Every structure is written in structure tokens, then in C-alpha cells.
């Protein structure tokens, strides 16, 4: 028989220690797998008596009534809170019950726990649903704010006619075409009737700047009466002044439609004054009104170009309204 090396017995002792076989047959099988003929007895470890910790009290068994069923070893621990304690009586504790007894462990104080976050404490801003059809908004603005200017191709017939009559040609006659180079002045109503549409107005102004140009867009605000307006705080507003001749004016207002019936005459006079001022200055006036067209005041609908600020408005409707406005005498 080949003598067994010391290192082989060391491997066997480690295997028996970790596997802890219950009988000699199992130990012999382990030795056979390791190629050994002699099997030492499995090491028996004496149970150690737990030493009480200096930092925590010893584990005390839980007294149970005689009729209380005992928990199985495989049962899950049950957490029982201790009775309420005063805020200054030290850290809280929990008691874990199991088959062998109870263990008391400290819990962090309430001040150490993170404060719960309430969803009511934060303002949730909903997504804005545009009044115009989102895919048409840019085209609607371009059609409504474009003005007809003699910037097109040369009108050859008119030029030949003047030359045939031996008339001087000081400027070349050109065809008119719509353009946005004149810029735009936007009058934004901040009155009571427009409070539900302030976000719509801010969003539309951003789209106007994207279409016409940041530097070519002037924004003035007023409170129900457009005859007093300004770009800054209300205390700095001044009597309204129209833009340069030819520049269109876009009004974002409900025109006081929701005001009491007794205010109708005063309301109409106010808007007709603004219309007359802009006609004298040569500035087309377009108003986007967030109300159904059937609610437009008749006298204002005759003298002003009003466009329903809602989904039914199309690009063609905006273009036709702008042409009607520029064809007024």
C-alpha cells in the first residue's frame, strides 16, 4: 500500500470539517474520492457558549402562555413594536420573536428619517394644448401677418408703356407679393377675460418671433383698453402709438365679449378708435379672438379683421382675412 502524504490528510480533514458527515460510511466515501485508505474520525467541535456583548443586553427568552402554539424553526421572524415612548426617552426599539427567544434592536429616531415628500406641495403644470392646429400655426401666422409690397418681378408691360409714351421711369414697376420684412407689432390683452389664455398668448408670441424674427417683433401689453399700452410694467404704460407705416398690428384679445351688456357701446367705441388710428397710419390690423365667430360683435366684425383663435381656422382663412384687411380703403 502506497503511504499517504500528510497533505492528503490535511485535505481530508478540511473536507470532513466543511461537509460534517453524520456517519462513518459517508466519511469513508469522502476519503475514497480523495484517494485515501485510512479515514480519521470527523472533527467534533464543542459548542461554544455565547459571550454576552458589552454593548447590548443578553438575549432573554420570551415567556409564552401555555396554550400558545410554538413557531416552527423555518417560520419567518415577526416584528413587534414596543409601546410608545416619550420623544426624549432615547432611541426606539423593535423586538424580533423567533423559536429561540426575543432580540431587541434599536431603531433610528424619527429626526434621522427623511421627511416624506407630498405631491400636493409641488405645482404640476399640464402640457399646453395650442388653440390653433399645431401643424398649421406657423403657416397661419405667416399668412395673416404678411403684407403686400411691390417686391416682386418687374412689370414689363407697364415699363414698356411708359417708354412708348416717352415718360421717364424713375422707379421700375414691380408686382406685389406678400412679405414679412415689415415686422409686426403685437398687442396682448391682460384683462380679466384673457386670464385663461395667458399661456396661449405667451406661446403664440414665441411662434410669432420664430416666424417674423426676434428683432422685427414688438410686443406691447394692455389691460382691456388698448389705448394705454407698453412693453414693461403697467405703471410705465403710455398712450398707444402705432408702428411704422406698413407694419401689421396683431391683437390678442377677447375684445371684451364677456363684459356685461351695458359695456358694449363703450367697448365698441374703444376698438373703433384703435382701428381708425391704425388706418391713418397705414398699418393693417388683425385680431385673434379666442371666442367663436358667432359671438363677435357685429359692428366690430364689419370694421375690423377678426380671426377665430381656435382649431377651425385654416391657413386659407387667415390668408383671405389678411387680404381683405389690406384692401380696405
Amino acid at each position: 500500500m502506497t503511504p499517504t502524504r500528510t497533505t492528503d490528510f490535511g485535505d481530508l480533514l478540511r473536507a470532513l470539517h466543511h461537509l460534517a458527515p453524520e456517519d462513518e460510511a459517508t466519511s469513508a466515501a469522502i476519503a475514497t474520492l480523495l484517494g485515501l485508505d485510512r479515514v480519521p474520525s470527523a472533527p467534533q467541535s464543542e459548542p461554544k457558549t455565547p459571550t454576552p456583548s458589552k454593548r447590548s443586553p443578553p438575549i432573554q427568552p420570551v415567556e409564552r402562555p401555555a396554550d400558545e402554539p410554538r413557531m416552527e424553526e423555518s417560520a419567518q421572524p415577526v416584528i413587534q413594536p414596543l409601546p410608545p415612548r416619550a420623544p426624549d426617552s432615547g432611541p426606539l426599539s423593535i423586538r424580533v420573536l423567533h423559536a429561540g427567544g426575543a432580540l431587541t434592536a434599536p431603531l433610528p429616531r424619527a429626526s434621522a428619517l427623511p421627511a416624506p415628500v407630498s405631491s400636493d406641495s409641488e405645482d404640476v403644470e399640464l402640457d399646453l394644448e395650442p388653440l390653433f392646429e399645431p401643424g398649421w400655426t406657423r403657416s397661419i401666422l405667416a399668412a395673416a401677418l404678411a403684407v403686400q409690397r411691390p417686391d416682386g418681378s418687374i412689370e414689363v408691360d407697364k415699363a414698356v408703356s411708359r417708354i412708348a409714351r416717352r415718360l421717364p421711369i424713375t422707379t421700375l414697376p414691380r408686382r406685389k407679393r406678400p412679405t414679412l420684412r415689415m415686422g409686426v407689432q403685437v398687442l396682448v390683452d391682460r384683462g380679466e377675460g384673457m386670464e385663461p389664455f395667458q399661456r396661449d398668448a405667451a406661446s403664440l408670441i414665441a411662434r410669432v418671433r420664430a416666424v417674423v424674427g426676434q428683432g422685427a417683433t414688438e410686443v406691447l401689453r394692455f389691460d382691456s383698453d388698448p389705448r394705454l399700452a407698453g412693453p414693461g410694467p403697467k405703471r410705465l404704460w403710455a398712450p398707444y402709438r402705432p408702428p411704422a407705416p406698413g407694419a401689421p398690428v396683431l391683437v390678442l384679445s377677447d375684445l371684451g365679449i364677456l363684459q356685461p351688456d351695458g359695456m358694449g357701446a363703450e367697448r365698441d367705441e374703444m376698438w373703433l378708435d384703435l382701428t381708425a388710428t391704425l388706418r391713418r397710419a397705414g398699418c393693417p390690423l388683425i385680431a385673434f379672438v379666442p371666442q367663436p365667430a358667432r359671438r363677435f360683435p357685429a359692428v366690430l366684425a364689419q370694421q375690423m379683421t377678426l380671426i377665430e383663435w381656435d382649431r377651425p381656422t385654416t391657413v386659407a382663412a387667415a390668408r383671405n382675412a389678411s387680404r381683405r384687411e389690406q384692401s380696405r380703403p
Side-chain angles (χ1 to χ4, degrees):
M1 182 176 61
T2 304
T4 305
R5 294 175 299 176
T6 306
T7 54
D8 294 334
F9 281 109
D11 295 338
L12 177 60
L13 290 176
R14 282 191 292 272
L16 294 177
H17 175 73
H18 289 290
L19 298 177
E22 298 180 355
D23 49 33
E24 292 295 336
T26 306
S27 300
I30 295 175
T32 302
L33 292 175
L34 293 176
L36 301 177
D37 297 332
R38 300 178 59 186
V39 181
S41 301
Q44 300 294 332
S45 59
E46 297 181 358
K48 297 182 180 180
T49 304
T51 304
S53 176
K54 296 181 180 180
R55 302 179 61 181
S56 61
I59 298 175
Q60 299 294 335
V62 179
E63 297 182 2
R64 302 181 179 86
D67 56 348
E68 179 179 347
R70 296 182 60 85
M71 295 179 60
E72 297 295 335
E73 293 296 335
S74 61
Q76 296 294 331
V78 179
I79 300 178
Q80 290 185 352
L82 294 178
R85 299 168 62 95
D88 56 350
S89 61
L92 300 178
S93 301
I94 59 172
R95 177 168 295 171
V96 181
L97 301 181
H98 53 84
L103 176 64
T104 301
L107 281 177
R109 297 184 62 88
S111 59
L113 299 176
V117 179
S118 175
S119 59
D120 297 337
S121 61
E122 300 180 359
D123 294 334
V124 179
E125 186 171 325
L126 301 178
D127 294 337
L128 179 65
E129 188 71 18
L131 295 180
F132 284 142
E133 185 68 32
W136 299 350
T137 302
R138 182 180 182 89
S139 299
I140 289 176
L141 292 175
L145 302 179
V147 294
Q148 299 290 329
R149 302 294 297 177
D151 296 336
S153 59
I154 298 175
E155 291 188 306
V156 178
D157 294 342
K158 290 185 177 181
V160 171
S161 176
R162 293 186 64 86
I163 293 174
R165 289 179 293 166
R166 298 182 178 182
L167 297 176
I169 299 180
T170 56
T171 58
L172 289 176
R174 293 181 176 272
R175 293 183 174 87
K176 290 185 177 181
R177 66 173 183 176
T179 179
L180 296 172
R181 69 178 180 84
M182 302 303 297
V184 63
Q185 183 187 75
V186 185
L187 292 176
V188 186
D189 192 350
R190 296 181 56 185
E192 182 178 357
M194 284 292 292
E195 287 183 359
F197 306 101
Q198 292 303 315
R199 290 181 62 198
D200 298 279
S203 176
L204 192 67
I205 290 173
R207 299 298 299 271
V208 170
R209 289 192 171 107
V211 172
V212 181
Q214 181 75 23
T217 303
E218 180 186 16
V219 179
L220 303 178
R221 294 171 175 82
F222 65 95
D223 188 354
S224 301
D225 188 347
R227 294 173 295 188
L228 185 67
K234 187 175 182 178
R235 65 178 183 276
L236 301 179
W237 291 356
Y240 172 74
R241 296 180 59 182
V249 176
L250 174 63
V251 175
L252 306 180
S253 174
D254 68 331
L255 304 179
I257 292 176
L258 301 181
Q259 293 181 357
D261 295 338
M263 303 292 293
E266 181 179 354
R267 172 202 62 200
D268 296 345
E269 180 182 359
M270 174 182 64
W271 286 107
L272 292 178
D273 287 347
L274 175 67
T275 303
T277 300
L278 292 175
R279 295 270 167 78
R280 289 192 297 268
C283 298
L285 172 61
I286 301 290
F288 288 168
V289 184
Q291 295 291 336
R294 65 179 183 276
R295 303 190 64 179
F296 292 170
V299 62
L300 297 183
Q302 294 175 359
Q303 299 295 326
M304 300 174 62
T305 301
L306 309 180
I307 297 179
E308 186 177 351
W309 190 4
D310 207 350
R311 293 300 173 93
T313 299
T314 63
V315 178
R319 183 183 299 110
N320 294 335
S322 178
R323 290 175 177 175
R324 287 196 306 270
E325 171 63 22
Q326 296 180 54
S327 63
R328 295 178 185 271

